[in-house]
Amino acid sequence: MKFLMMTIMAALLVGAGSAGGYFFSQKQAVASYSETGPISKEQQQANKFAKMSAEEKAKHLRFVKLDPIVLPIIDSNGVSQVVTLVVSLEVNGDDNAEFAASMTPRLKDAYIQDMYGVLNRKASMEGGVIKVDELKERLNRISAKVLGENKVNSVLLQVVNQRPI
C-alpha cells in the first residue's frame, strides 16, 4: 500500500512538473511576443505592408509634393547663392498621405531650420556644390522625427537648384 501511494505521488509530481514546464514555456513565448506591448494600428499596417510583393506595394504608394523651399546661403560677404529645393514624400497608403499633407507646414519649418544652418556652415557642400546624398539623408531623418517612424518611406528630391548671386 505504501509503495502504491509513493508511486501515485511520484506520478503526480512528474505530471505537475511537466505541466508546469509546458505552461511556463508557453507563457515565456507569449511574454517575449508581447514584450513591446500591444501592437498599434500603425505597426500592424507596417507589418502587413512588409509582407506584400513589390507590385502590391507600388499600388499603395502615394506621393506628397511639398511647395518649393528657397534658402539663401549667407557667408561673410552676404548672400552668396540661393538654393531652391522641390521635395516629395513617398508614403504608404492614403492615411499616411493625408497625415503628411496636413503636417507640411511643420515639416517645411523643420527642413528650413535644419538646412539653413547646415548649408550656411558649408557642412553639406563640397566645392560650393551641395552634397545631395547627405542632404537627402538629413531630410529623411527630419521627416521621421516630425511625422514619426514608419510614416514616410523616403524623401524624394525633385529639384535641387543652386543659383549664385
Side-chain angles (χ1 to χ4, degrees), residues 126-145:
E126 188 172 302
V129 178
I130 292 178
K131 296 178 190 174
V132 177
D133 55 340
E134 287 183 18
L135 180 64
K136 186 172 178 174
E137 202 173 291
R138 292 183 78 84
L139 294 176
N140 276 314
R141 278 196 311 267
I142 295 166
S143 298
K145 185 177 177 182

Side-chain angles (χ1 to χ4, degrees), residues 65-69 84-88 156-161:
K65 187 174 181 180
L66 304 180
D67 294 332
I69 300 170
T84 305
L85 300 171
V86 177
V87 177
S88 289
L156 306 173
L157 294 172
Q158 302 296 303
V159 175
V160 179
N161 185 11

Side-chain angles (χ1 to χ4, degrees), residues 5-163:
M5 285 298 259
M6 288 181 72
T7 307
I8 292 173
M9 290 298 281
L12 285 174
L13 284 175
V14 169
S18 298
Y22 173 77
F23 289 121
F24 179 76
S25 66
Q26 292 298 320
K27 187 176 180 180
Q28 289 289 43
V30 169
S32 67
Y33 175 74
S34 62
E35 246 176 61
T36 60
I39 297 176
S40 67
K41 180 182 173 187
E42 296 165 351
Q43 188 61 40
Q44 289 174 351
Q45 289 176 344
N47 291 345
K48 182 180 175 184
F49 189 76
K51 293 176 185 176
M52 291 182 186
S53 69
E55 186 175 317
E56 290 173 326
K57 286 181 183 180
K59 291 178 184 176
H60 286 66
L61 290 179
R62 301 293 180 263
F63 297 93
V64 178
K65 187 174 181 180
L66 304 180
D67 294 332
I69 300 170
V70 179
L71 292 166
I73 306 299
I74 303 170
D75 59 14
S76 59
N77 299 327
V79 178
S80 61
Q81 61 179 305
V82 176
V83 175
T84 305
L85 300 171
V86 177
V87 177
S88 289
L89 304 174
E90 178 185 297
V91 297
N92 298 327
D94 293 328
D95 292 341
N96 287 338
E98 288 176 23
F99 178 70
S102 71
M103 294 292 286
T104 55
R106 182 169 285 176
L107 194 59
K108 283 180 62 176
D109 175 63
Y111 288 165
I112 290 170
Q113 285 184 32
D114 182 74
M115 289 185 299
Y116 194 76
V118 170
L119 294 177
N120 286 343
R121 288 189 309 263
K122 310 277 190 215
S124 290
M125 289 192 179
E126 188 172 302
V129 178
I130 292 178
K131 296 178 190 174
V132 177
D133 55 340
E134 287 183 18
L135 180 64
K136 186 172 178 174
E137 202 173 291
R138 292 183 78 84
L139 294 176
N140 276 314
R141 278 196 311 267
I142 295 166
S143 298
K145 185 177 177 182
V146 172
L147 300 177
E149 296 293 326
N150 299 326
K151 292 285 187 184
V152 176
N153 292 344
S154 182
V155 172
L156 306 173
L157 294 172
Q158 302 296 303
V159 175
V160 179
N161 185 11
Q162 289 181 258
R163 192 170 30 111

